Short mmCIF file of all heavy atoms in Angstrom, two decimals:
data_model
loop_
_atom_site.label_atom_id
_atom_site.label_comp_id
_atom_site.label_asym_id
_atom_site.label_seq_id
_atom_site.Cartn_x
_atom_site.Cartn_y
_atom_site.Cartn_z
N LEU A 82 -72.57 -24.88 32.22
CA LEU A 82 -73.91 -25.24 32.16
C LEU A 82 -74.52 -25.54 33.56
O LEU A 82 -73.81 -26.14 34.43
CB LEU A 82 -74.16 -26.42 31.21
CG LEU A 82 -73.86 -26.03 29.74
CD1 LEU A 82 -74.20 -27.38 28.91
CD2 LEU A 82 -74.52 -24.78 29.18
N PRO A 83 -75.78 -25.28 33.85
CA PRO A 83 -76.40 -25.61 35.24
C PRO A 83 -76.46 -27.10 35.38
O PRO A 83 -76.67 -27.86 34.37
CB PRO A 83 -77.79 -24.95 35.12
CG PRO A 83 -78.04 -24.82 33.64
CD PRO A 83 -76.76 -24.57 32.98
N SER A 84 -76.32 -27.54 36.74
CA SER A 84 -76.46 -28.97 36.97
C SER A 84 -77.69 -29.33 37.74
O SER A 84 -77.94 -30.49 38.13
CB SER A 84 -75.19 -29.39 37.67
OG SER A 84 -74.95 -28.60 38.78
N THR A 85 -78.58 -28.38 38.22
CA THR A 85 -79.63 -28.67 38.94
C THR A 85 -80.86 -28.62 37.87
O THR A 85 -80.81 -27.90 36.98
CB THR A 85 -79.96 -27.66 39.89
OG1 THR A 85 -80.18 -26.32 39.44
CG2 THR A 85 -78.78 -27.58 40.94
N ALA A 86 -81.97 -29.34 38.23
CA ALA A 86 -82.99 -29.51 37.36
C ALA A 86 -83.74 -28.12 37.17
O ALA A 86 -84.16 -27.72 36.05
CB ALA A 86 -84.07 -30.48 37.89
N GLU A 87 -83.97 -27.31 38.25
CA GLU A 87 -84.59 -26.05 38.01
C GLU A 87 -83.80 -25.04 37.12
O GLU A 87 -84.46 -24.37 36.36
CB GLU A 87 -84.79 -25.47 39.46
CG GLU A 87 -85.88 -26.19 40.41
CD GLU A 87 -85.21 -27.42 41.07
OE1 GLU A 87 -83.92 -27.56 40.84
OE2 GLU A 87 -85.85 -28.07 41.82
N ALA A 88 -82.49 -25.03 37.43
CA ALA A 88 -81.70 -23.98 36.68
C ALA A 88 -81.69 -24.48 35.20
O ALA A 88 -81.59 -23.64 34.23
CB ALA A 88 -80.33 -23.89 37.21
N PHE A 89 -81.64 -25.76 35.01
CA PHE A 89 -81.51 -26.26 33.63
C PHE A 89 -82.79 -26.02 32.87
O PHE A 89 -82.85 -25.63 31.67
CB PHE A 89 -81.28 -27.80 33.64
CG PHE A 89 -80.92 -28.43 32.31
CD1 PHE A 89 -79.58 -28.40 31.84
CD2 PHE A 89 -81.91 -29.02 31.60
CE1 PHE A 89 -79.36 -28.97 30.62
CE2 PHE A 89 -81.49 -29.56 30.28
CZ PHE A 89 -80.20 -29.59 29.91
N LEU A 90 -84.02 -26.10 33.59
CA LEU A 90 -85.30 -25.84 32.90
C LEU A 90 -85.26 -24.44 32.49
O LEU A 90 -85.69 -24.00 31.37
CB LEU A 90 -86.29 -26.11 33.77
CG LEU A 90 -87.81 -25.76 33.37
CD1 LEU A 90 -88.11 -26.51 32.13
CD2 LEU A 90 -88.82 -25.85 34.45
N ARG A 91 -84.78 -23.44 33.34
CA ARG A 91 -84.79 -22.07 33.06
C ARG A 91 -83.94 -21.77 31.82
O ARG A 91 -84.33 -21.03 30.94
CB ARG A 91 -84.26 -21.14 34.24
CG ARG A 91 -85.17 -21.16 35.34
CD ARG A 91 -84.87 -20.09 36.37
NE ARG A 91 -83.63 -20.40 36.98
CZ ARG A 91 -83.35 -21.05 38.14
NH1 ARG A 91 -84.46 -21.48 38.80
NH2 ARG A 91 -82.19 -21.13 38.64
N MET A 92 -82.83 -22.55 31.70
CA MET A 92 -81.98 -22.38 30.60
C MET A 92 -82.73 -22.79 29.17
O MET A 92 -82.68 -22.18 28.21
CB MET A 92 -80.66 -23.18 30.73
CG MET A 92 -79.69 -23.02 29.44
SD MET A 92 -78.34 -24.07 29.62
CE MET A 92 -78.96 -25.63 29.36
N ILE A 93 -83.40 -23.86 29.25
CA ILE A 93 -84.12 -24.52 28.17
C ILE A 93 -85.25 -23.47 27.65
O ILE A 93 -85.35 -23.33 26.38
CB ILE A 93 -84.83 -25.70 28.59
CG1 ILE A 93 -83.79 -26.82 28.76
CG2 ILE A 93 -85.70 -26.29 27.50
CD1 ILE A 93 -82.94 -27.31 27.58
N GLU A 94 -85.86 -22.82 28.64
CA GLU A 94 -86.98 -22.04 28.29
C GLU A 94 -86.45 -20.79 27.54
O GLU A 94 -87.34 -20.14 26.73
CB GLU A 94 -87.73 -21.67 29.49
CG GLU A 94 -88.46 -22.86 30.08
CD GLU A 94 -89.40 -22.41 31.25
OE1 GLU A 94 -88.88 -21.78 32.13
OE2 GLU A 94 -90.54 -22.84 31.23
N LYS A 95 -85.29 -20.35 27.75
CA LYS A 95 -84.73 -19.17 27.11
C LYS A 95 -84.40 -19.44 25.48
O LYS A 95 -84.45 -18.66 24.72
CB LYS A 95 -83.46 -18.74 27.63
CG LYS A 95 -83.63 -18.20 29.09
CD LYS A 95 -82.17 -17.88 29.67
CE LYS A 95 -82.30 -17.47 31.03
NZ LYS A 95 -80.96 -17.27 31.65
N GLU A 96 -84.31 -20.79 25.18
CA GLU A 96 -84.06 -21.25 23.80
C GLU A 96 -82.93 -20.42 23.17
O GLU A 96 -82.94 -20.15 21.97
CB GLU A 96 -85.39 -20.98 22.99
CG GLU A 96 -86.52 -21.89 23.41
CD GLU A 96 -87.61 -21.81 22.57
OE1 GLU A 96 -87.69 -21.17 21.46
OE2 GLU A 96 -88.85 -22.44 22.93
N TYR A 97 -81.90 -20.24 23.95
CA TYR A 97 -80.67 -19.57 23.42
C TYR A 97 -79.68 -20.64 22.92
O TYR A 97 -79.07 -21.38 23.71
CB TYR A 97 -80.03 -18.73 24.49
CG TYR A 97 -78.79 -17.95 24.09
CD1 TYR A 97 -78.74 -17.06 23.14
CD2 TYR A 97 -77.53 -18.34 24.69
CE1 TYR A 97 -77.59 -16.42 22.72
CE2 TYR A 97 -76.35 -17.74 24.34
CZ TYR A 97 -76.49 -16.78 23.24
OH TYR A 97 -75.21 -16.05 23.02
N LYS A 98 -79.44 -20.75 21.67
CA LYS A 98 -78.59 -21.60 21.15
C LYS A 98 -77.36 -21.00 20.24
O LYS A 98 -77.56 -20.04 19.78
CB LYS A 98 -79.19 -22.74 20.07
CG LYS A 98 -79.81 -22.07 18.91
CD LYS A 98 -80.43 -23.27 17.97
CE LYS A 98 -80.96 -22.70 16.63
NZ LYS A 98 -81.47 -23.73 15.79
N ILE A 99 -76.18 -21.68 20.49
CA ILE A 99 -75.08 -21.14 19.85
C ILE A 99 -74.42 -22.13 18.96
O ILE A 99 -74.50 -23.41 19.24
CB ILE A 99 -74.02 -20.75 20.84
CG1 ILE A 99 -73.51 -21.94 21.78
CG2 ILE A 99 -74.55 -19.56 21.71
CD1 ILE A 99 -72.49 -21.56 22.74
N PRO A 100 -73.83 -21.86 17.80
CA PRO A 100 -73.11 -22.71 16.97
C PRO A 100 -71.70 -23.03 17.54
O PRO A 100 -70.98 -22.05 18.05
CB PRO A 100 -72.97 -21.96 15.60
CG PRO A 100 -73.10 -20.55 16.09
CD PRO A 100 -73.84 -20.47 17.24
N VAL A 101 -71.31 -24.15 17.62
CA VAL A 101 -69.87 -24.52 18.23
C VAL A 101 -69.15 -25.42 17.16
O VAL A 101 -69.67 -26.15 16.34
CB VAL A 101 -69.99 -25.30 19.46
CG1 VAL A 101 -70.82 -24.44 20.47
CG2 VAL A 101 -70.75 -26.68 19.39
N ASP A 102 -67.82 -25.26 17.28
CA ASP A 102 -66.92 -26.10 16.44
C ASP A 102 -66.90 -27.50 16.89
O ASP A 102 -67.10 -27.81 18.08
CB ASP A 102 -65.51 -25.54 16.44
CG ASP A 102 -65.40 -24.12 16.12
OD1 ASP A 102 -66.31 -23.56 15.48
OD2 ASP A 102 -64.48 -23.43 16.59
N VAL A 103 -66.63 -28.47 15.94
CA VAL A 103 -66.33 -29.88 16.17
C VAL A 103 -65.05 -30.22 15.44
O VAL A 103 -64.59 -29.46 14.59
CB VAL A 103 -67.45 -30.83 15.76
CG1 VAL A 103 -68.73 -30.55 16.54
CG2 VAL A 103 -67.61 -30.86 14.33
N GLY A 104 -64.39 -31.25 15.94
CA GLY A 104 -63.20 -31.76 15.34
C GLY A 104 -63.44 -33.09 14.50
O GLY A 104 -64.29 -33.85 14.88
N VAL A 105 -62.91 -33.32 13.42
CA VAL A 105 -62.92 -34.45 12.60
C VAL A 105 -61.66 -35.11 12.61
O VAL A 105 -60.74 -34.49 12.20
CB VAL A 105 -63.37 -34.21 11.23
CG1 VAL A 105 -63.57 -35.43 10.50
CG2 VAL A 105 -64.75 -33.50 11.32
N LEU A 106 -61.46 -36.19 13.26
CA LEU A 106 -60.22 -37.04 13.33
C LEU A 106 -60.36 -38.34 12.51
O LEU A 106 -60.98 -39.16 12.86
CB LEU A 106 -59.95 -37.28 14.87
CG LEU A 106 -58.61 -37.99 15.10
CD1 LEU A 106 -58.19 -37.66 16.55
CD2 LEU A 106 -58.79 -39.57 15.09
N ASN A 107 -59.50 -38.37 11.50
CA ASN A 107 -59.73 -39.48 10.51
C ASN A 107 -61.22 -39.54 10.15
O ASN A 107 -61.79 -38.68 9.54
CB ASN A 107 -59.18 -40.70 10.98
CG ASN A 107 -57.66 -40.71 11.28
OD1 ASN A 107 -56.99 -39.76 10.68
ND2 ASN A 107 -57.04 -41.56 12.08
N ASN A 108 -61.99 -40.47 10.56
CA ASN A 108 -63.28 -40.63 10.27
C ASN A 108 -64.25 -40.37 11.59
O ASN A 108 -65.39 -40.78 11.43
CB ASN A 108 -63.60 -42.08 9.69
CG ASN A 108 -62.98 -42.24 8.33
OD1 ASN A 108 -63.01 -41.29 7.44
ND2 ASN A 108 -62.47 -43.28 7.96
N GLU A 109 -63.60 -40.11 12.58
CA GLU A 109 -64.38 -39.85 13.85
C GLU A 109 -64.50 -38.39 14.11
O GLU A 109 -63.90 -37.44 13.68
CB GLU A 109 -63.56 -40.50 14.98
CG GLU A 109 -63.45 -42.01 14.86
CD GLU A 109 -64.78 -42.74 14.96
OE1 GLU A 109 -65.67 -42.17 15.61
OE2 GLU A 109 -64.93 -43.90 14.28
N VAL A 110 -65.53 -38.10 15.02
CA VAL A 110 -65.83 -36.74 15.46
C VAL A 110 -65.68 -36.56 16.90
O VAL A 110 -65.91 -37.42 17.65
CB VAL A 110 -67.31 -36.40 15.03
CG1 VAL A 110 -67.89 -35.11 15.70
CG2 VAL A 110 -67.55 -36.41 13.55
N PHE A 111 -65.08 -35.41 17.21
CA PHE A 111 -64.96 -35.20 18.66
C PHE A 111 -65.47 -33.69 18.90
O PHE A 111 -65.25 -32.89 18.00
CB PHE A 111 -63.44 -35.33 19.25
CG PHE A 111 -62.51 -34.45 18.67
CD1 PHE A 111 -62.10 -33.28 19.36
CD2 PHE A 111 -61.76 -34.81 17.47
CE1 PHE A 111 -61.14 -32.49 18.93
CE2 PHE A 111 -60.79 -33.96 17.04
CZ PHE A 111 -60.45 -32.85 17.83
N ILE A 112 -65.94 -33.42 20.19
CA ILE A 112 -66.45 -32.15 20.51
C ILE A 112 -65.53 -31.32 21.35
O ILE A 112 -65.61 -30.19 21.60
CB ILE A 112 -67.82 -32.17 20.99
CG1 ILE A 112 -68.44 -30.78 21.00
CG2 ILE A 112 -67.96 -32.88 22.37
CD1 ILE A 112 -69.96 -30.78 21.41
N ASN A 113 -64.66 -32.13 22.19
CA ASN A 113 -63.96 -31.55 23.27
C ASN A 113 -62.46 -31.72 23.11
O ASN A 113 -61.62 -30.73 23.26
CB ASN A 113 -64.37 -32.07 24.73
CG ASN A 113 -63.88 -31.28 25.73
OD1 ASN A 113 -64.23 -30.06 25.91
ND2 ASN A 113 -62.96 -31.75 26.65
N ILE A 114 -61.92 -32.99 22.90
CA ILE A 114 -60.47 -33.24 22.82
C ILE A 114 -60.20 -34.46 22.24
O ILE A 114 -60.92 -35.42 22.20
CB ILE A 114 -59.92 -33.28 24.36
CG1 ILE A 114 -58.39 -33.49 24.38
CG2 ILE A 114 -60.64 -34.38 25.13
CD1 ILE A 114 -57.80 -33.32 25.74
N ALA A 115 -59.07 -34.41 21.59
CA ALA A 115 -58.31 -35.67 20.98
C ALA A 115 -56.90 -35.66 21.69
O ALA A 115 -56.20 -34.64 21.62
CB ALA A 115 -58.18 -35.67 19.58
N ALA A 116 -56.46 -36.77 22.29
CA ALA A 116 -55.32 -36.73 23.08
C ALA A 116 -54.57 -38.14 23.04
O ALA A 116 -55.24 -39.06 22.72
CB ALA A 116 -55.51 -36.40 24.47
N ALA A 117 -53.28 -38.24 23.18
CA ALA A 117 -52.58 -39.48 23.35
C ALA A 117 -51.44 -39.26 24.12
O ALA A 117 -50.85 -38.17 24.19
CB ALA A 117 -52.26 -39.95 21.85
N GLY A 118 -50.86 -40.37 24.77
CA GLY A 118 -49.75 -40.31 25.58
C GLY A 118 -50.08 -40.64 27.10
O GLY A 118 -51.11 -41.20 27.38
#
């Protein structure tokens, strides 16, 4: 994803959205990682 304001605005204006997976760990939700150790 873009990190500058101008590029981010251009992305917003396209209104392109995608469905993504999430993880459910016991009663919690994570979007990227569950880790231990």
Side-chain angles (χ1 to χ4, degrees):
L82 299 181
S84 57
T85 66
E87 292 83 359
F89 192 83
L90 175 64
R91 289 194 296 270
M92 181 184 73
I93 292 295
E94 291 185 310
K95 294 175 185 176
E96 299 187 2
Y97 177 66
K98 68 178 184 179
I99 60 172
V101 300
D102 304 334
V103 301
V105 178
L106 182 152
N107 297 341
N108 293 318
E109 296 297 328
V110 169
F111 66 93
I112 193 170
N113 198 63
I114 184 171

